[in-house]
Amino acid sequence: MNAKLKEEILAVLKNGNVNGLDAESLSDDDLRTYITLQALKNDSHDGKYEYAVETVRDRDNGGADEASLADVLTMYGERGWRLKFCFTDEMRVERDAEADATINDIVLIFERKM
């Protein structure tokens, strides 16, 4: 772990006192584990969340519409939502003389604390 980063982390952790532990004596791995544990505790502290579902359809050639995806992700991010999960839902197959294109809906599920 970068020494400067560790120094900043220890400062945030109440001057090196972590629930009665001497944070400065923790190994880098133990410190990472502690931070992960605290993040999980904070994340589950208030279990009230709301969810939003947004769908972005592929372009007619079967390619993902990156611009629309970026717009949707940015819009939700600016409003405090985070992307929780995404998946594709096959809608149809476009066939022509040159190639076949599978058209998918990309389903985005967003989450934020209430």
Side-chain angles (χ1 to χ4, degrees):
M1 179 179 293
N2 177 291
K4 179 70 174 157
L5 175 61
K6 187 170 185 174
E7 183 181 311
E8 289 185 37
I9 291 170
L10 293 174
V12 170
L13 296 175
K14 299 178 185 145
N15 298 321
N17 185 0
V18 182
N19 295 334
L21 298 173
D22 178 15
E24 291 186 23
S25 68
L26 296 175
S27 70
D28 290 355
D29 284 339
D30 287 342
L31 192 54
R32 284 187 196 94
T33 301
Y34 178 80
I35 292 167
T36 302
L37 178 62
Q38 289 304 108
L40 290 171
K41 283 181 179 178
N42 290 340
D43 203 32
S44 63
H45 184 264
D46 183 13
K48 295 180 182 179
Y49 292 90
E50 61 181 322
Y51 296 89
V53 178
E54 190 76 35
T55 303
V56 178
R57 175 128 330 148
D58 283 348
R59 296 186 308 252
D60 288 337
N61 67 2
D65 187 347
E66 292 93 354
S68 292
L69 279 170
D71 289 346
V72 169
L73 290 167
T74 299
M75 178 186 73
Y76 277 88
E78 288 173 347
R79 295 177 181 168
W81 295 88
R82 67 179 182 176
L83 181 64
K84 181 70 174 178
F85 190 75
C86 69
F87 61 93
T88 59
D89 185 15
E90 185 176 308
M91 301 307 296
R92 67 182 186 280
V93 176
E94 294 288 327
R95 301 183 190 280
D96 64 27
E98 296 178 19
D100 294 342
T102 303
I103 307 300
N104 293 305
D105 277 348
I106 300 172
V107 181
L108 307 167
I109 300 172
F110 294 92
E111 172 187 79
R112 72 176 170 188
K113 286 189 177 186
M114 296 178 71

